[in-house]
Amino acid sequence: MKNNQQDSLAISQALENYYFRGIYEGDLDALKKVLHPGTLLFGDVKGQPYAKTFDVYLEGVKNRVSPKDAGAPFKGTIVSIETVNSIAMAKVHVKMYDFNYDEFLSFHKIDGRWVIVNKMMSDVAQ
């Protein structure tokens, strides 16, 4: 097993530069840089089951008013990152609109680049 500090830094940068920014700004190009096209998203939102494919998720981001454009509060926080060889798990917290999400993001290093291959999320009371 290998836990590489450089890999954790690369994942942190991908989260900050592409994932959080993409969600906040509604930037599909940024999200496409960090989400693998086969990414599946599961969880619950306000107690309701949530399941989407990559394409359906991006369509939803495209058709909503972004927190940035709405002037709504947004905060993405990296809680932890664990790496083992070419796989990793990041726990993040995302606060946007009236939602507080705890998320587990599975990463895989493909062609030298860390990408999200699975997203699990739950809306939690804060």
Side-chain angles (χ1 to χ4, degrees):
M1 291 195 329
K2 176 183 155 195
N3 182 339
N4 185 323
Q5 192 170 5
Q6 262 186 326
D7 288 327
S8 292
L9 179 60
I11 291 166
S12 177
Q13 289 172 338
L15 287 167
E16 295 290 346
N17 297 335
Y18 303 120
Y19 184 68
F20 293 145
R21 193 188 80 194
I23 294 170
Y24 173 63
E25 296 177 1
D27 185 338
L28 299 184
D29 290 331
L31 290 170
K32 288 177 183 177
K33 288 180 182 174
V34 72
L35 294 168
H36 185 275
T39 299
L40 297 175
L41 304 91
F42 296 98
D44 60 79
V45 177
K46 299 214 179 279
Q48 297 301 308
Y50 178 98
K52 294 186 179 182
T53 63
F54 171 79
D55 290 330
V56 171
Y57 174 72
L58 288 183
E59 190 67 23
V61 172
K62 177 182 168 185
N63 291 318
R64 69 163 164 79
V65 177
S66 71
K68 179 182 179 183
D69 289 342
F74 177 89
K75 175 81 172 144
T77 305
I78 299 169
V79 177
S80 65
I81 298 172
E82 298 282 335
T83 64
V84 178
N85 296 323
S86 67
I87 63 171
M89 177 66 71
K91 180 179 180 184
V92 303
H93 183 81
V94 175
K95 166 95 175 108
M96 61 185 261
Y97 294 110
D98 62 342
F99 297 99
N100 282 290
Y101 296 115
D102 277 346
E103 301 180 357
F104 294 103
L105 305 171
S106 300
F107 280 82
H108 189 136
K109 193 173 189 178
I110 301 172
D111 297 327
R113 195 168 61 90
W114 287 99
V115 293
I116 296 169
V117 295
N118 183 263
K119 173 178 172 174
M120 300 285 294
M121 58 182 275
S122 185
D123 188 23
V124 296
Q126 289 282 328

